[in-house]
Amino acid sequence: MADATVEAALTRVAREESGRVLALLARRFGDVDLADESVQDALVEAARVWPGQGVPTNPPGWLLTVAKHK
């Protein structure tokens, strides 16, 4: 059940929030390709981390923070 919860959260954040995060990062850095790569890297990181640590309280915020650091 936990795996299904994580999978559902990842799917939701990828579908519903990644575009918004991409737009924020593209505006901040002035580079759409860099922003896209950062968001993709953050989604991969979420798939690696969330199963062990659980889905964060604010998945879009987590995604944005991790993508900014990428």
Side-chain angles (χ1 to χ4, degrees), residues 42-64:
L43 287 167
V44 169
E45 186 72 7
R48 187 184 72 75
V49 171
W50 293 5
Q53 294 182 0
V55 177
T57 306
N58 180 2
W62 187 97
L63 189 68
L64 178 61

